[in-house]
Structures are given as C-alpha cells and as structure tokens.
Amino acid sequence: MATNTSFQLFSSSKDKPSLGLGFLESSEPQLPPPPPSVEVLSSEVSSSVKYTVEPVNLDGLTLLKGRVSTKEVLGLPNSDLVPGIYEGGLKLWEGSLDLVKALRSEIQNGCLSFEGKRVLELGCGHGLPGIFACLESAAEVHFQDFNAEVLRCLTIPNVNANLLEKAKPETVSEVRFFAGDWGEIHQLLPHARESEINLTSSSEHGQASAYDVILMAETIYSISVQRNLYGLIKKCMNQPNGVVYLAGKKHYFGVGGGTRQFLSMLEKEGVMAATLVTEVADGSSNVREVWKLSYK
C-alpha cells in the first residue's frame, strides 16, 4: 500500500509517449443517444423487481448491498456493461469497496470530514461510497447513475436499507437521485454550474454553489467518456476547497481507459493536483488505486 504520493505520470521526457491527448480523440463505435436526464424520486423505488440484500464487510465496517437481476431490470443478459445503453451499475465493482475503505482511512487520519458537506457520487450503482458519506453526517448526498432503472431497482433500496438500520435520526442526510449522461446531467444537479468554473473568479463560484466532495469508483474505464466526466467535475466541484476521490484500475485492458490516462489529462491542463491515497495489488496483473484530486 502506498499513501500520499504526488502524481507524476512520466519520470522524464524520454519516458513520455507521443500520444499527448490523442487517445481522447481516437475513433470509437458510434453510441446511441443517451437517455434524457431525470431526477428519480425516492418514492419511485421499484416494487416489481426482486431485490435481496446481504452484508459486505469492509475491514470492520459492515454495509448492506443489494442484488438484482440485470435481465429482470433491463431485459439484458447478465453483462458487465453495454456501452451507451447500460453502464454496469447493477454490478458491485471492486473499486467501490476500495473507495469506502480509503474514505474511512482518510477520516481516521484527520484528512477528511463529511460532516455538513455537500457530496455527489458519480456513476453510483450500489451507492456504497455515498451511503458511507450519509453515515458520516454529510448534509446532502446526491447519487448519479447513467440508468434510471439502476437507481429505482438498486441504489434507492440500498440507501434505504443502510440508512434505516444505521443512520442516527439527528444526522440524516438529504438524499436525491439523478439519472443521465455526464455530458448533460449538470443541467439537473442542484449544485452544478452551466459552465466549467472560471478559476479567476472565485466570488461567483464559491462555497454555496458547488459540491464539497465528489466520489466516483470505476468511472474512467472508457476513453470516450473521460472528457465529459472531467468537464462535469469542473462544473460541480467547489473551488478552491473541493475534493474528488477517484477509485479505479490503473489500466482497463480491452477497453482502453484507466487511472493513469485520466490523470494525464489533468496533468496536461494543469488545473488540478492528484495525490495517491492507496493502491491495492490483489495478485492479478492489474493494480487498483484511489486518488484524491484538488485544485492547485
């Protein structure tokens, strides 16, 4: 495990490939138009899909996670994802668990507090990181996923199951749920801006207009969505004190994305700094990481 390592993608110019940001412009299959962005109300939880719950232990912290059938929810075979149609929200990805563990460690080390904060979880799926923020007394937690069906059939039931059992009545967070594509969802999110932040004008975009903490796990697997995701972060993140916690694999073999490609985009623009919080090597050929992003 490595902690608090500043990000430097290339150790020297001779190590640096000549891609620049060309990988973000590479041609990929044309995707169908995204579904319209909508707010999904807590009362819209699905009653027609079988939902079962089981505990997941995270180094002494026990949360509840649901299980539903992809075929029953979306009419699709059990698949990790179908680009542009279903983005994997019904599967509990390892990065989500890594992120909860890292957040807990950050709190224990005095590096993070959710109390009274506005929190946004992007690509939430099961929503465990956002649920953890609720349990840590966040003022507001907003959950976003590509598919409204994921929110109705899995995220909302998960939030209800965990908060009914564990939340303290005096510290219940305001929770809301939003479905849509990262290129458009800012139009619905209560604390997002219409345009990316102007770093020269902090008075207009201060504490009251953005999210204090943005959480995301396994969101950067696809090269084609990285630019929209980064743009959304800049529309949502509090400046100058907001932070992003990002969990993902160093490389997603076969689909082209990964933490290092995403961070190289940040490095080239020079607006945000990235610090490695932890890395997890589970014996496979790929390493999972959790990074903390903040404005320079």
Side-chain angles (χ1 to χ4, degrees):
M1 177 180 291
T3 58
N4 296 332
T5 301
S6 296
F7 174 64
Q8 183 177 357
L9 184 63
F10 305 109
S11 58
S12 67
S13 59
K14 69 179 181 179
D15 297 325
K16 185 172 183 177
S18 58
L19 290 175
L21 289 180
F23 60 80
L24 292 171
E25 312 297 337
S26 60
S27 60
E28 293 196 358
Q30 187 70 31
L31 298 178
S37 299
V38 296
E39 179 172 4
V40 178
L41 302 179
S42 297
S43 59
E44 295 178 42
V45 61
S46 175
S47 59
S48 62
V49 172
K50 182 181 179 181
Y51 169 86
T52 59
V53 67
E54 57 190 57
V56 55
N57 187 282
L58 302 170
D59 295 339
L61 171 69
T62 300
L63 296 178
L64 302 176
K65 69 179 185 72
R67 183 186 296 275
V68 295
S69 164
T70 306
K71 184 174 183 180
E72 192 175 354
V73 174
L74 296 164
L76 298 171
N78 288 324
S79 172
D80 285 352
L81 58 92
V82 180
I85 298 175
Y86 163 60
E87 296 295 336
L90 298 177
K91 177 176 177 178
L92 181 58
W93 298 89
E94 294 169 321
S96 178
L97 305 180
D98 295 337
L99 181 53
V100 174
K101 293 176 183 177
L103 295 173
R104 192 177 183 213
S105 176
E106 287 280 274
I107 291 172
Q108 292 171 343
N109 293 333
C111 300
L112 172 67
S113 172
F114 283 112
E115 187 169 357
K117 300 292 179 62
R118 290 172 167 172
V119 179
L120 172 65
E121 183 179 357
L122 296 174
C124 62
H126 283 252
L128 295 187
I131 289 168
F132 178 71
C134 291
L135 298 176
E136 290 293 326
S137 304
E140 302 175 46
V141 180
H142 295 167
F143 296 84
Q144 179 275 334
D145 198 88
F146 183 79
N147 298 101
E149 295 88 349
V150 169
L151 297 173
R152 294 188 185 104
C153 298
L154 183 64
T155 315
I156 296 174
N158 271 1
V159 170
N160 290 342
N162 280 278
L163 298 193
L164 286 173
E165 177 168 314
K166 296 176 178 293
K168 300 175 183 178
E170 66 274 14
T171 59
V172 173
S173 307
E174 176 194 287
V175 295
R176 294 174 69 179
F177 305 88
F178 301 89
D181 182 79
W182 289 327
E184 302 174 355
I185 195 65
H186 66 279
Q187 299 169 16
L188 275 186
L189 292 173
H191 305 308
R193 298 169 289 269
E194 281 298 317
S195 59
E196 295 177 11
I197 194 166
N198 178 1
L199 294 177
T200 63
S201 176
S202 59
S203 59
E204 180 183 357
H205 305 301
Q207 297 284 343
S209 62
Y211 292 94
D212 303 299
V213 184
I214 298 175
L215 308 174
M216 52 189 198
E218 309 276 10
T219 54
I220 41 76
Y221 57 87
S222 172
I223 294 172
S224 64
V225 302
Q226 288 184 2
R227 190 175 295 281
N228 276 348
L229 177 60
Y230 184 40
L232 178 60
I233 289 170
K234 290 187 287 183
K235 291 172 184 176
C236 293
M237 184 176 171
N238 188 346
Q239 190 270 337
N241 298 317
V243 293
V244 176
Y245 283 90
L246 158 68
K249 293 182 176 65
K250 187 179 291 188
H251 304 289
Y252 288 88
F253 298 109
V255 289
T259 55
R260 297 312 171 99
Q261 278 190 330
F262 184 73
L263 293 172
S264 70
M265 178 171 55
L266 273 65
E267 183 186 42
K268 182 166 185 177
E269 189 181 60
V271 172
M272 294 186 186
T275 302
L276 181 63
V277 177
T278 187
E279 64 179 20
V280 181
D282 59 5
S284 66
S285 59
N286 207 348
V287 175
R288 306 194 308 271
E289 302 176 323
V290 177
W291 289 83
K292 179 179 180 179
L293 313 180
S294 58
Y295 284 111
K296 290 184 175 179

